[in-house]
Structures are given as C-alpha cells and as structure tokens.
C-alpha cells in the first residue's frame, strides 16, 4: 500500500531569512526560531566592530524585551546573524524570505533588486510592510519571482498577537498563498486573514480609524485622556491599555507616521479630513515626548503614581481613570441592544462620546468592507486578533440589533452628526439581521454569504475561534456529574474529559468525576484526553472548599480530600487506557499535577505551568512531589539528589513557566511531551497522540516499588541553601518551613541516603506535610489573602 502523495499546496520551510533587524524583524526571527525554523537575521554591515554587529546586537536585545519574544532564551543562539555585504550566500538555500525594513518604498525596492539574484527558484518572498502597496513592491522583483511574492503582515509583539495578514498581489500563485497560510497557522501558530492590497490592509485600516475617531470625539466632548481610557478598555471588552495608553506603548511618532500614511495613500477616502494627528498629539511629538520609550507621552510615571496630561492646563495631573456613575451603570447592562439604546439616549457627555465613537466606526467599516476585505469575518477577526478586542466591529453591531443601529446611523448622517456624510452602502439596510449567519459571513464585493475557508489546515481546528452566534458540534455526552463531562466527538473511540467548574478548579466533584470517567474509558473507550472548552487548563485546587474544612476544624475530612486528590492523580497515571492532558493557558497546582501523571501532555506554546502551592503556604500534595521523586530516581538511580536539585527551587519558589518550552526546562513537562503552536489545534493533536499511544498497545508504567531516595542527607543539603536565603532576607521563616517540608518529601523523609521506598511512602509524606502546614496560622492567612486579593502574601 502506498501513501497518498501530499497535495500541491504543502509548503515545507526548513530555513528562513528575515531582512531587517529592527524591533519587528528581530522578533519575527525569534518567533520563527521558536517554531523550529532555522532563521538568518540580516541587516546592514556595521561600520565598526564585527560586520554583522547590527544583527548581533538585535539578537542580544531579544533577552531584554518584555514580553519575551523567545519561548526559551537559549534559542537566541540558533538565530544566524548576517549582513548584506558578506553573507548573501545564506540566501541560496532559504525557503522563505520576510522583509521587515523601514517603511520606505524606495529602500524596499533597492533591497529586492539586491537579493533577487541570490534566491533559489522556489523561495517565497514576503514583505512585512504594514500598509505599502504589495503590487508596487512586486514590480522590483524579476518577472519569474513575482508569482512567489506577497505581503505577510505580523502584529506586534509577533509571538503573542494572533493575527497575520496575508496580502496576495494580482500575480501571486494560489498555491503559494494556501501553502503559506497552512505554514503560518500550524507551524507558527497564527490566525491568518487574507487581505486585499489596500493601504494599511484590514487590521490597521479599521483599528487606526477607530483610534482617530476616538481622538476626534475626545476633543468634541472635552474628555480627559484617562477618562477615555476608562471607557474604551475592558469596559468594552478591549485591552487594559485602551486608547491613549496603547498610543504611548506603540510610540506617538509611530502613531503619527501611520496616520500620515493613511492621509498620503487615501486621498479619496470620505473621512480624509480626519487623517491628521490632533494638535495635542503633534505638540507632544514636537517636545520629544513619544510615549513609553521616552518616559512619557499622554501618561508619565512620577514615583509610584501615574499622571496624565491635561490639555487645558498644559500640565500633568494624577490619573483618575473611571467612568461616570451613569455610564458605568449603562456599561454594566448585559443586553447589547439595551446598552446601545441607553448610550444614544443619555445626555452624559461620556455616553454621547461612546455612541459617537461606535457610530463612526460602524459607518466607516461598512462603507469600506467591499474594498478592503473579502468578508465581514475577515474584518472582525483582524480586529479581534490584531487589536485584542473580544468582539469585532460587525459582531458588536449585530449583537446590538443590526437594523436599529443602522437607522440611528442614518439619522445621525442626515442630521450632520456623523464624521462623514457618505451614505451607508445599500446592503446594510436590505432587511438583514447582520453579517454573520448560518450560511457564513457577508461578502460585500460578491453580495453573498461565504462559509469559512475549506483549506485542509482548518480541519485541524475542531473548535475554531467562534464568531458571534457561531455554534460547533458539542459531541455526545457519555457521562457527567457536577464537576466534569465525559464526551466523544466523532467515532474514533477517544473520550474527552472537560471540567465544569469556574477557572476549571478541582473540587470533590471533579476528583470523583475524573476517577469515574477513567473507569468508563477503560470499559468503553480506547483513550482519554483531558481538554477544557476554554482557558485555563486548571487554576488548581478549590481553595474555598479546603479553607472551609480547615476553619470548621474538620481535619479528618480535609485529609480525606487530600487522599482523594492523590488517588485521582494515580488513577490518571495507572489508567489502562492512555490519558493525554491537552494544556493551554494556566495549569497551576492540581492542574499541573494531573498533567504530570498523564501518559503524555500536549501543551500549547502559551502554557503557563507551575506547582504554585508554596505561594499559599502549602506544598504540592496531589502526587506532584511524589512524581518528581520517582522521575529523579529513574533518571539517576545512583544519585537522585542531582536530579532533585533541578526541581527543588522550582517548587520552593512556586515558579511558573512563561512557555511550554520553559516548563520542560523546569521539569514540569517531559522531553517527549508535545508542544503545539496554535491553541485551536490542541484538541486535534491531543486526540492524534492519544490514538497513536492506544494503537501502539499502550500499557501504564509498572508501580515503582523500590525508589532510591536522597534521604536525610539530601534534606540537610537543601536546608543549608535555605539558611543563606533567609540570612539575605530573600525568604521568611515560614517560607523556609515550607521549603524544608518540600525537601523532606522529595528526599524521602528521615531515612538514610540510598534507601529505597515505594510510591505510597512518598504519597504519605506529601499528605502528612500538607495537612500539618494547612493547620498553621500563617498558611491559613496566606490562603485567605490569596482568595480575597488574588495575590500571594509573604508572611
């Protein structure tokens, strides 16, 4: 039997080159390297020192950036620094070139002419321009290369922002577009939107207009910058940085440049008169106050206080950042139709500001849909994934009642209240209820609804990011209780176990539910995947229930709960069918312990994993310490202490990984655990891994009956290092008491070094220390403090 040949659009990229080692270029190179793509980072030859000094400096700088562009800081060494004078030979075997130099058409065209002779006949060339014409750029390439050229626009920071816009030219080969889309989605982990070649494409065209409209209405309604940020951040389902903080982070000079690009390239846009930096924005730039990078813009930090610019006084004042009581009450209304009705009817300037900002955003987006995007879906995803909004502009409008909002917009256009007199397109008022429905999303250029892409890569997303009102097959329930649901999707015999608790915390219903689900899986299914329908994987044990038992003095019941936790982890480990944990987001405490005991973990790159119990005055007692001791003995039976040294600090300091790669370094994921870059593919991959384990005749590990331990000598060595921490005031007395108990458990208790114990011995030690710590006043104070503030207490 021969395997089917791969479809023509499969694109294999072994090596890439990024041209331009500026902030974006260096971070794109970093993220390609995260994804396992060998990457060369080019820049101009340095005038002094090593010729590739500019690229070298950019690579070194990656370690200083926050949030971290590299998922593992050691990957910096894999990026190859290069310069255009000496290293063009690197280009002969690259499969993908991404140009990310400054936004100057003439510079870009010169560079394309320079690199073209060095590229292979199959290399794909892409520009990361944020708005220059892709068709015009293509003209600098030899004719035989133009079909392999397109725009690939990443958003900043590239590792974390989900959006990449792909912009084909008139000549781009369709196979290049589909191949690149599949590579970006699966390998690089992105949400791809295909954009038309219009200035600023989709994300920045709509996103920057939204900021310009917000700035215009800030002036009209005489609101403070901090008030506007209070209104346009999380209160609207948008990032905390809202409008003016975002401008400060992006850089006010960059913001002004993007606005100027819109003014220069869109002379016929009906909103053109607004494409200019407001007087106060230009005033800040002229003074050199460019935002965060110069220490101040709209905001500045004075000591611990944040101050905001007051335009009327031409001075800074303390930032207050809160909406009026009336508007706060309106924004708290759950029903979008009622909320928008009240915003429009209110006489409060803040409410009027919000209505006007939304009205002009909706008006602009509808007017330009046909020119800039294939469908309304592309616009909503571009804004959600590129700007971090919970709902895109069309979804927001549709949720609030399409025709009602449309008639209000028309009333405001007729009354001269809208920013532009341009009419709403006829399709807006053709009786529709919105632009997203069961047949897909509306395409204004085709005047038809279009379904989602049917490219093979999207079959890997069993639950894609849903648009407003979009529903996917929820599978068939096998069994459920108040804590978990066991279900199947399709007929592959793989069970999926999802928690029902808030933040997917672990309570008695979850513990009993996991154990029962495993029994059912052993009877009826071939494998089990623990996967949550939304992040996080699990925030750990339900502290509220645990504290309740302690405060009521029910110590025996408390100990039974701990025992049940351990029983659940052991049920996962010794299940006769493979249990695979599919982790994304936080996996803290008990959530971390469940995945540690799984046959395999499949983790999204953005997984934040940690045994954080020390932070609340406890130690891991869901089998986590026992499992680390077992692994240490297996890795180094002669001297398990050498292995324990690697994990002791991780546990005692409640460290949390900043990525799945870092979790491997911390010893919380295993080397053979799988890392997935696109979180929407997590369930698909986890099911494939579970199926492969089952098909290979999976058996659980044999119970460990003779585990060599580090003993009291190991504990004493750890205690000596703790004394230094306490002496330097890095650890409190209670921190040391907790860490000493962690050491005692990892090292197997007060027995001789090299003694052997069984798993139950280690589990009993875990329980003993956990229950004793839980009864101390300081630990109970830590638990209560964390529950009320969400922050750890150092006592």
């Amino acid at each position: 039997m021969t395997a089917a040949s791969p479809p023509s659009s499969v694109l294999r990229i072994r090596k890439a080159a990024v041209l331009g080692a500026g902030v974006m270029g260096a971070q794109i190179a970093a993220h390609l390297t995260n994804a396992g793509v060998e990457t060369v980072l080019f820049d101009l030859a340095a005038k002094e020192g090593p010729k590739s000094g500019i690229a070298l400096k950019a690579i070194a700088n990656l370690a200083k950036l926050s949030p971290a562009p590299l998922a593992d800081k050691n990957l910096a060494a894999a990026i190859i620094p290069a310069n255009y004078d000496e290293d063009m030979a690197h280009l002969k075997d690259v499969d993908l070139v991404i140009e990310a130099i400054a936004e100057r058409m003439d510079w870009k065209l010169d560079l394309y002419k320079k690199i073209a002779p060095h590229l292979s006949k199959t290399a794909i060339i892409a520009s990361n321009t944020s708005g220059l014409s892709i068709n015009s750029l293509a003209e600098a390439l030899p004719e035989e290369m133009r079909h392999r050229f397109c725009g690939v626009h990443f958003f900043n920071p590239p590792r974390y922002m989900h959006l990449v816009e792909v912009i084909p030219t008139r000549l781009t080969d369709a196979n290049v577009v589909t191949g690149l889309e599949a590579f970006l989605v699966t390998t690089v982990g992105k949400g791809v939107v295909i954009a038309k070649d219009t200035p600023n494409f989709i994300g920045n065209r709509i996103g920057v207009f939204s900021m310009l409209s917000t700035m215009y209405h800030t002036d009209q309604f005489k609101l403070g910058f901090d008030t506007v940020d209070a209104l346009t951040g999380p209160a609207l389902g948008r990032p905390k940085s809202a409008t003016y903080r975002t401008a400060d982070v992006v850089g006010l000079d960059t913001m002004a440049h993007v606005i100027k690009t819109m003014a220069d390239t869109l002379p016929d846009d009906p909103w053109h008169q607004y494409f200019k930096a407001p007087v106060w924005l230009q005033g800040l730039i002229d003074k050199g106050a460019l935002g965060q990078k110069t220490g101040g813009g709209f905001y500045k930090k004075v000591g611990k206080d944040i101050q905001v610019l007051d335009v009327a006084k031409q001075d800074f004042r303390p930032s207050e950042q809160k909406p009026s009581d009336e508007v706060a009450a309106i924004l708290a209304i759950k029903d979008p139709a009622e909320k928008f009705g009240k915003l429009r009817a209110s006489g409060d300037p803040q409410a009027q500001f919000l209505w006007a900002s939304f009205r002009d955003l909706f008006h602009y987006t509808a007017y330009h849909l046909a020119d800039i995007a294939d469908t309304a879906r592309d616009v909503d995803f571009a804004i959600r994934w590129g700007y971090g909004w919970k709902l895109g502009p069309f979804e927001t409008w549709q949720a609030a009642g399409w025709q009602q909002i449309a008639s209000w917009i028309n009333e405001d256009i007729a009354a001269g209240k809208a920013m532009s007199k341009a009419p709403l397109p006829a399709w807006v008022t053709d009786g529709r209820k919105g632009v997203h429905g069961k047949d897909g999303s509306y395409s204004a250029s085709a005047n038809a609804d279009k379904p989602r892409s049917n490219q093979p890569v999207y079959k890997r997303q069993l639950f894609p990011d849903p648009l407003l009102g979009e529903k996917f097959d929820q599978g068939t329930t096998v069994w459920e209780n108040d804590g978990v649901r066991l279900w199947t999707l399709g007929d592959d015999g793989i069970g999926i176990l999802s928690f029902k608790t808030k933040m997917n915390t672990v309570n008695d219903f979850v513990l009993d539910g996991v154990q029962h689900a495993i029994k059912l899986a052993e009877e009826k299914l071939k494998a089990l995947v623990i996967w949550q329908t939304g992040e996080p994987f699990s925030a750990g044990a339900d502290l509220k229930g645990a504290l309740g038992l302690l405060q009521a003095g029910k110590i025996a019941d408390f100990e039974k709960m701990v025992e049940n936790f351990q029983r659940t982890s052991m049920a996962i480990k010794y299940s006769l069918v493979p249990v695979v944990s599919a982790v994304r987001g936080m996996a803290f405490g008990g959530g971390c312990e469940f995945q540690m005991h799984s046959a395999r973990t499949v983790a999204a790159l953005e997984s934040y994993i940690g045994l954080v119990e020390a932070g609340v005055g406890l130690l891991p007692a869901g089998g986590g310490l026992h499992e680390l001791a077992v692994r240490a003995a297996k890795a180094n039976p002669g001297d398990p202490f050498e292995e324990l040294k690697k994990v002791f600090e991780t546990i005692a300091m409640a460290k949390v990984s900043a990525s799945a790669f870092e979790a491997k370094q911390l010893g919380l994921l295993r080397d053979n655990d799988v890392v997935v870059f696109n979180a929407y593919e997590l369930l698909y991959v986890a099911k494939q891994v579970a199926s492969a384990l089952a098909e290979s005749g999976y058996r659980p590990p044999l119970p460990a009956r003779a585990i060599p331990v580090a003993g009291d000598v190991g504990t004493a060595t750890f205690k000596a290092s703790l004394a230094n921490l306490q002496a330097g005031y890095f650890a409190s007395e209670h921190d040391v008491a907790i860490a000493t108990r962690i050491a005692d458990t990892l090292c197997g208790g007060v027995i001789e070094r090299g003694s052997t114990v069984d798993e139950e011995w280690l589990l009993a030690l875990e329980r003993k220390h956990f229950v004793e710590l839980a009864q101390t006043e300081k630990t109970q104070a830590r638990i209560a403090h964390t529950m009320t503030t969400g922050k750890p207490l150092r006592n």
Side-chain angles (χ1 to χ4, degrees):
M1 182 181 156
T2 56
S5 62
S8 58
S9 61
V10 169
L11 182 65
R12 303 289 181 206
I13 291 178
R14 184 185 299 279
K15 188 173 179 182
V18 176
L19 312 180
V23 176
M24 274 307 271
Q27 290 194 78
I28 291 168
H31 196 55
L32 289 172
T33 307
N34 287 336
V37 178
E38 185 183 17
T39 302
V40 188
L41 180 61
F42 275 90
D43 210 301
L44 298 168
K47 292 188 172 66
E48 294 169 9
K51 278 278 197 188
S52 297
I54 296 173
L56 279 163
K57 191 175 175 188
I59 294 165
N61 194 48
L62 290 169
K64 299 175 195 158
L65 293 180
S66 177
L70 290 164
D72 167 359
K73 57 182 181 294
N74 298 319
L75 286 171
I79 304 172
I80 303 163
N83 68 83
Y84 303 121
D85 288 4
E86 299 177 330
D87 300 316
M88 298 300 252
H90 271 302
L91 292 173
K92 71 177 185 301
D93 58 351
V94 301
D95 307 301
L96 172 65
V97 176
I98 297 176
E99 169 271 306
I101 68 167
E103 292 288 76
R104 282 270 303 266
M105 181 71 84
D106 52 342
W107 292 359
K108 288 179 191 283
L109 297 178
D110 281 349
L111 182 58
Y112 293 0
K113 286 179 185 138
K114 195 172 182 177
I115 63 164
H118 301 276
L119 295 171
S120 77
K121 292 197 167 32
T122 54
I124 289 170
I125 309 112
S127 175
N128 181 58
T129 176
S130 55
L132 295 178
S133 164
I134 302 297
N135 281 288
S136 301
L137 288 170
E139 286 165 20
L141 290 166
E143 210 156 310
E144 68 274 12
M145 283 187 181
R146 292 179 191 175
H147 68 285
R148 302 197 309 276
F149 177 75
C150 63
V152 170
H153 180 220
F154 285 82
F155 276 62
N156 194 13
R159 171 181 159 189
Y160 301 92
M161 296 312 289
H162 193 55
L163 178 64
V164 172
E165 293 172 315
V166 171
I167 310 98
T169 69
R170 289 183 291 274
L171 301 173
T172 311
D173 184 326
N175 278 337
V176 166
V177 178
T178 54
L180 200 51
E181 182 173 8
F183 167 76
L184 288 165
V185 169
T186 292
T187 307
V188 190
K190 294 299 161 197
V192 170
V193 166
I194 308 290
K196 296 186 182 183
D197 185 18
T198 55
N200 287 5
F201 313 129
I202 302 173
N204 282 343
R205 180 75 177 271
I206 302 301
V208 173
F209 175 80
S210 176
M211 288 186 84
L212 279 171
S213 147
T214 301
M215 287 176 172
Y216 172 74
H217 291 302
T218 301
D219 247 0
Q220 296 299 297
F221 294 99
K222 307 276 181 281
L223 299 180
F225 300 131
D226 51 343
T227 302
V228 171
D229 278 355
L231 295 169
T232 58
L236 298 183
R238 298 180 192 173
K240 277 195 297 207
S241 55
T243 302
Y244 293 103
R245 273 183 200 278
T246 298
D248 271 357
V249 171
V250 168
L252 305 193
D253 52 341
T254 307
M255 187 79 205
H257 174 76
V258 175
I259 296 168
K260 186 177 183 309
T261 304
M262 281 181 87
D264 293 347
T265 53
L266 294 164
D268 302 326
D269 191 301
W271 283 261
H272 184 267
Q273 69 188 87
Y274 303 102
F275 298 168
K276 58 179 189 283
V279 177
W280 29 262
L281 175 59
Q282 196 54 53
L284 285 167
I285 294 167
D286 294 344
K287 284 182 191 163
L290 306 179
Q292 203 167 281
K293 60 188 170 190
T294 58
F298 292 110
Y299 292 92
K300 70 176 183 182
K301 207 167 180 187
V302 180
K304 287 190 176 173
D305 299 327
I306 303 289
Q307 296 197 342
V308 65
L309 178 68
D310 186 319
V311 174
K313 294 179 182 160
Q314 286 291 300
D315 201 1
F316 283 82
R317 60 169 172 77
S319 170
E320 287 156 7
Q321 204 155 347
K322 65 180 201 312
S324 68
D325 292 345
E326 182 185 337
V327 171
I330 294 173
L331 291 175
I333 295 168
K334 292 275 185 282
D335 173 27
E338 186 189 345
K339 185 186 300 188
F340 271 86
K342 292 219 158 129
L343 284 175
R344 189 166 189 268
S346 168
D348 186 310
Q350 294 183 18
Q352 288 295 300
F353 158 82
L354 282 171
W355 161 250
S357 301
F358 273 115
R359 173 199 65 217
D360 293 318
L361 171 65
F362 296 159
H363 185 187
Y364 189 82
T365 309
Y367 184 88
H368 287 297
L369 173 60
D371 321 330
I372 67 171
D374 185 35
T375 68
R377 179 191 307 109
D378 297 327
V379 172
D380 280 343
F381 278 152
I383 292 297
R384 276 166 49 168
W385 296 342
Y387 279 75
W389 295 14
K390 282 208 175 109
L391 290 177
F394 284 127
E395 290 175 293
T396 308
W397 180 350
Q398 185 167 325
W402 186 270
Q403 289 303 334
Q404 177 63 79
I405 295 284
S407 73
W408 286 338
I409 295 172
N410 270 329
E411 277 177 35
D412 283 9
I413 294 170
K417 291 180 180 175
M419 284 169 79
S420 168
K421 294 190 178 78
L424 277 174
W427 62 262
V428 171
T429 49
D430 64 4
R432 67 178 52 253
K433 289 185 176 166
V435 287
H436 304 302
K438 62 181 191 321
D439 297 324
S441 296
Y442 183 66
S443 169
S445 50
N447 192 26
D449 288 340
K450 291 191 176 183
R452 278 177 176 262
S453 166
N454 61 1
Q455 296 295 347
V457 68
Y458 294 110
K459 304 228 173 3
R460 299 166 58 86
Q461 298 189 15
L462 304 178
F463 291 89
D465 195 357
L467 283 162
L468 179 77
E470 209 172 8
K471 297 275 189 287
F472 302 108
D473 179 4
Q474 297 301 301
T476 307
T477 302
V478 176
W479 175 83
E480 63 186 322
N481 69 356
D482 286 347
V484 303
R485 174 182 178 233
L486 173 63
W487 52 291
T488 54
L489 191 64
D491 55 4
D492 56 9
I494 309 238
I496 302 165
L497 188 64
S498 305
F499 300 176
K500 296 177 175 183
T501 47
K502 188 179 177 185
M503 298 282 283
N504 299 318
T505 50
V506 181
N507 61 15
D508 288 336
F509 292 115
V510 171
L511 295 171
D512 295 342
V514 172
Q515 291 174 54
H516 187 66
I518 288 171
K519 284 194 186 108
L520 289 173
E522 288 175 337
E523 288 168 23
K524 303 178 179 182
L525 301 164
K526 72 177 192 183
L528 186 64
V529 170
I530 303 176
W531 176 81
Q532 314 299 9
T533 54
E535 289 186 24
F537 178 72
S538 173
D542 171 20
L543 290 174
K544 192 176 172 189
L547 190 62
L549 290 174
L550 288 171
Q551 288 173 336
K554 296 182 175 174
I555 303 304
D557 288 349
F558 181 76
E559 190 161 1
K560 271 187 203 148
M561 186 196 78
V562 181
E563 213 166 335
N564 199 25
F565 221 120
Q566 294 181 332
R567 202 177 303 122
T568 307
S569 291
M570 298 309 274
I572 292 170
K573 182 173 181 175
Y574 291 110
S575 164
L576 291 169
V577 296
V579 177
V580 171
S581 287
V583 174
R584 57 183 163 163
M586 293 183 294
F588 291 171
C592 177
E593 288 170 302
F594 284 173
Q595 67 81 22
M596 285 173 72
H597 287 84
S598 304
R600 192 81 87 253
T601 295
V602 177
L605 178 72
E606 301 308 332
S607 293
Y608 311 116
I609 301 173
L611 292 170
V612 296
E613 288 84 351
V616 289
L618 294 165
L619 51 72
L625 294 181
H626 131 278
E627 181 62 19
L628 289 170
V630 170
R631 288 183 192 178
K634 203 171 175 186
N636 191 340
D639 189 5
F641 184 76
E642 280 306 305
E643 294 299 313
L644 292 173
K645 278 198 304 202
K646 297 173 191 172
V647 293
F648 173 67
E649 193 179 298
T650 299
I651 316 305
M653 294 181 74
K655 285 186 180 177
V656 174
S657 74
S659 70
F661 290 165
E662 200 174 295
K664 289 191 176 194
Q665 292 178 342
L666 294 174
L668 301 171
L669 285 179
R670 296 155 290 201
D671 284 344
N672 63 351
D673 286 332
V674 179
V675 178
V676 170
F677 271 62
N678 194 321
Y680 295 107
E681 294 185 350
L682 185 66
L683 180 58
Y684 171 86
V685 177
K687 288 183 83 179
Q688 296 285 328
V689 169
S691 180
L693 286 169
E695 293 296 340
S696 63
Y698 176 81
R699 295 291 303 173
L702 291 167
R705 292 193 166 52
I707 305 156
V709 293
D712 48 11
V713 175
T715 306
T717 311
F718 281 137
K719 273 182 83 171
S721 66
L722 291 170
N724 295 335
L725 281 176
Q726 195 176 356
Y729 301 105
F730 293 113
S732 70
E733 194 180 333
H734 197 50
D735 289 332
V736 171
I738 298 159
T740 303
R741 290 175 183 268
I742 289 169
D744 186 67
T745 310
L746 287 171
C747 296
V750 188
I751 52 174
E752 274 185 38
R753 181 182 193 158
S755 305
T756 59
V757 300
D758 62 10
E759 291 188 76
E760 186 41 58
W761 173 277
L762 292 169
L763 290 168
L765 261 178
E766 251 189 23
R767 277 198 310 277
K768 167 184 168 294
H769 284 309
F770 187 88
V771 173
E772 286 174 5
L773 270 174
Q775 291 175 76
T776 65
E777 195 180 313
K778 285 189 172 174
T779 285
Q780 290 190 21
R782 284 190 182 193
I783 296 172
H785 186 269
T786 302
M787 278 170 55
T788 49
T789 67
K791 292 175 182 164
L793 170 71
R794 294 296 301 278
N795 58 359

